[in-house]
Amino acid sequence: MEDSSLDPMSVFRPPIVRSAGAALDRSLFTKRIPIAAARVLDVKNVSKYRAQLEKSKDLLKLDRLANVRPDPDASLASKGGKCLLLKPEVKSGVPTTWSPILQEAVKADELGVVDYDLVLDYNYWNYYDIITSILPEDAQEEIPVGFAVVGHVAHLNLREDYLPYKHLIAEIIADKNAAVRTVINKIDDVGTHSEYRTFSYEVLVGEDDMNVEIREGDCTFKFDYSKVYWNSRLQTEHKRLVDSFKPGEVVCDVMAGVGPFACPAGKKGVFVWANDLNPDSYASLKDAITRNKLTNFVRPFNADGHAFIRFAADDLLSLTSDNLNTITLPPKPRSRHAPASTRMPPPQTITIPPTISHYVMNLPASAISFLPAFAGLYDGNEKLFEPYAQRKLPMVHVHCFSTKSDDNVRETREICERIGVELGCVMNPGDGDGEVLVREVRDVAPKKRMFCASFRLPSEVAYRKRA
């Protein structure tokens, strides 16, 4: 029996069901709670008294719980009778526990205060409620609440302490997330299983079906999650960078994956040279380009990233020299409401710029080591850029891992030093030309953080003689 003398609302907590690794018994979570209810004698007054009893603090207010219910008397309920659930401090036979508003309404014969058996069951409580009721108290220091959802797959990364409860945790997650059909647990680090940033996993609930479909950045992606890299927690980072690209610019996405940067950028009229070494990612990238009607803007490649950095710049220049740097877009369909005499607009011709505006390098474990490939990127093409032309050298956005601290000062300095070593020049923190702006992206472990370092490619690197 729960002691509600200190906290009357504690009666609405789920039953404690400690079971170390046992099967989930949902029936154990059914709980009958005796409370009081205000019988509304004329259903036309339900809204009126709901508002008044909420103001007087008589009304029961719980997340996910409707406090307007059928009357507990079955005969009255069959005629449409309603009642309002009252908080546990209000007792049906003790008028001194009623507010003046409730007392006046009863005296006016518009409300009656009656007993009500409130039944809460497994379906009512959320994941956190259920899991804290099941796990032993000594295992609740850091409840496993974080998981990624990729299409219909929920992806766990459980600490060793919680492995004895992994099936319970997975079942509850599947129960409480309608879109989830399969729950998996990662059993090694990303990249351990394959150079393509995939990982080994075990299926805890559902079928081993990793073919998922998701929407992000107004684009649809379909892929086999077991064969490609995808991280739903990077959605904000994807949007942040894509928002910084301008229509008509060229972006080189060196480690494009299935296209979470490339396809949304293409949607806004950015030209993207998108590459990934993984053949499965490349296949899914091509599918996303076709599926989202981006063939005019996003070009897929399956090559080594080191070589692709220079190839993309050279390939773009070759289009200009061969007069292949224009594309013709079909006219937009005429509005249904436009007069029949309205002429179709002419096709639109767009010229692809000869130089790249941004490089994206989202391979945080090793992307900085790819930076030597920028040496000599535009060797012999200095007159394409300032001060000879109104173009700037590309911005480079390189993702990386470092330690974590409250202010990131130590990490920023360390990242700048690593970038400088790879480029062969001094790179200092800052947001001006010749400086590196380091942004925090997300924490990936208790002592590990992901960053994005953005800088304009130094001229001394870009115009260096190619080796």
Side-chain angles (χ1 to χ4, degrees):
M1 189 79 171
E2 292 179 66
D3 180 8
S4 59
S5 58
L6 297 178
D7 180 10
M9 300 303 285
S10 66
V11 298
F12 301 109
R13 293 173 186 158
I16 302 301
V17 183
R18 306 295 187 208
S19 54
L24 177 63
D25 186 347
R26 296 166 181 82
S27 67
L28 296 177
F29 288 90
T30 299
K31 187 174 186 180
R32 190 175 297 273
I33 306 166
I35 58 173
R39 172 176 286 150
V40 184
L41 300 179
D42 184 344
V43 292
K44 294 178 182 177
N45 289 329
V46 168
S47 296
K48 167 187 168 183
Y49 280 110
R50 182 181 184 185
Q52 290 190 14
L53 295 180
E54 181 174 1
K55 186 176 180 180
S56 67
K57 297 185 167 43
D58 291 291
L59 197 67
L60 177 63
K61 295 185 69 177
L62 286 177
D63 292 340
R64 310 180 307 280
L65 185 74
N67 48 27
V68 178
R69 296 291 184 95
D71 193 285
D73 185 317
S75 63
L76 293 176
S78 67
K79 299 173 184 176
K82 301 289 184 184
C83 69
L84 300 165
L85 303 186
L86 303 175
K87 63 183 184 181
E89 297 94 319
V90 179
K91 308 298 182 184
S92 62
V94 187
T96 55
T97 64
W98 307 351
S99 70
I101 288 176
L102 182 55
Q103 291 181 26
E104 286 298 321
V106 172
K107 194 178 296 184
D109 207 26
E110 292 191 341
L111 294 181
V113 183
V114 297
D115 291 329
Y116 188 97
D117 279 343
L118 177 64
V119 178
L120 300 180
D121 60 16
Y122 178 83
N123 293 323
Y124 167 73
W125 284 291
N126 62 26
Y127 167 80
Y128 187 82
D129 294 332
I130 299 293
I131 200 66
T132 51
S133 294
I134 289 177
L135 293 181
E137 289 186 13
D138 60 2
Q140 297 195 22
E141 182 178 345
E142 190 177 332
I143 296 291
V145 293
F147 56 90
V149 176
V150 182
H152 65 271
V153 177
H155 170 196
L156 302 175
N157 186 13
L158 293 174
R159 286 172 25 194
E160 187 175 351
D161 299 356
Y162 293 109
L163 292 180
Y165 316 103
K166 61 186 178 183
H167 292 288
L168 282 170
I169 292 169
E171 277 195 81
I172 299 166
I173 286 173
D175 286 344
K176 300 300 177 180
N177 295 270
V180 171
R181 301 197 308 271
T182 299
V183 182
I184 64 171
N185 183 45
K186 186 172 71 172
I187 56 178
D188 62 16
D189 291 334
V190 170
T192 304
H193 177 68
S194 162
E195 64 177 317
Y196 301 139
R197 292 190 286 176
T198 56
F199 56 88
S200 297
Y201 64 91
E202 58 180 336
V203 176
L204 302 179
V205 166
E207 297 181 0
D208 188 359
D209 175 13
M210 300 291 275
N211 290 296
V212 299
E213 179 175 332
I214 63 168
R215 290 279 296 174
E216 185 181 302
D218 199 28
C219 294
T220 300
F221 300 91
K222 291 188 75 171
F223 51 85
D224 184 335
Y225 186 37
S226 69
K227 295 181 179 179
V228 306
Y229 178 80
W230 179 273
N231 191 333
S232 298
R233 293 189 176 100
L234 292 177
Q235 183 170 352
T236 300
E237 178 67 358
H238 297 154
K239 184 178 186 304
R240 182 188 71 81
L241 272 184
V242 171
D243 285 349
S244 73
F245 307 151
K246 297 176 182 177
E249 289 184 330
V250 179
V251 170
C252 176
D253 192 351
V254 184
M255 303 94 174
V258 302
F261 288 109
C263 292
K267 274 278 185 180
K268 63 182 286 188
V270 176
F271 297 102
V272 187
W273 265 240
N275 172 72
D276 202 89
L277 182 63
N278 181 351
D280 291 296
S281 294
Y282 172 65
S284 296
L285 172 62
K286 289 198 299 180
D287 174 80
I289 293 168
T290 302
R291 185 179 301 278
N292 295 289
K293 301 178 181 178
L294 298 172
T295 52
N296 284 317
F297 290 96
V298 184
R299 305 186 181 200
F301 299 88
N302 179 212
D304 174 75
H306 298 86
F308 187 74
I309 289 170
R310 287 183 178 177
F311 166 82
D314 295 344
D315 188 48
L316 196 55
L317 287 172
S318 72
L319 295 183
T320 304
S321 63
D322 294 338
N323 296 316
L324 298 174
N325 63 331
T326 59
I327 63 167
T328 301
L329 302 179
K332 292 183 178 180
R334 188 169 52 196
S335 169
R336 291 183 307 169
H337 306 294
S341 59
T342 303
R343 291 184 177 182
M344 288 284 288
Q348 183 182 8
T349 299
I350 302 178
T351 300
I352 304 174
T355 63
I356 294 169
S357 294
H358 299 266
Y359 276 86
V360 179
M361 304 172 69
N362 182 27
L363 188 66
S366 60
I368 287 179
S369 69
F370 286 64
L371 293 178
F374 283 96
L377 186 72
Y378 284 112
D379 176 19
N381 292 291
E382 293 87 340
K383 293 191 175 181
L384 290 172
F385 302 95
E386 293 179 340
Y388 306 100
Q390 292 185 332
R391 293 190 195 92
K392 292 186 175 183
L393 284 163
M395 287 294 297
V396 179
H397 309 280
V398 56
H399 291 90
C400 57
F401 294 130
S402 187
T403 55
K404 55 184 288 190
S405 61
D406 291 339
D407 57 14
N408 293 328
V409 171
R410 180 181 70 248
E411 290 76 14
T412 295
R413 190 184 317 113
E414 181 263 342
I415 290 168
C416 290
E417 289 174 356
R418 288 163 56 195
I419 290 172
V421 168
E422 298 295 343
L423 292 177
C425 62
V426 176
M427 300 294 286
N428 294 312
D431 59 358
D433 286 353
E435 295 179 324
V436 182
L437 180 60
V438 178
R439 291 181 175 86
E440 177 183 325
V441 176
R442 57 181 291 263
D443 290 349
V444 294
K447 297 181 180 180
K448 187 177 182 181
R449 182 169 284 163
M450 179 179 173
F451 296 88
C452 179
S454 298
F455 59 91
R456 192 167 300 282
L457 187 64
S459 57
E460 62 183 286
V461 177
Y463 305 144
R464 195 177 293 161
K465 290 294 180 184
R466 289 194 182 183

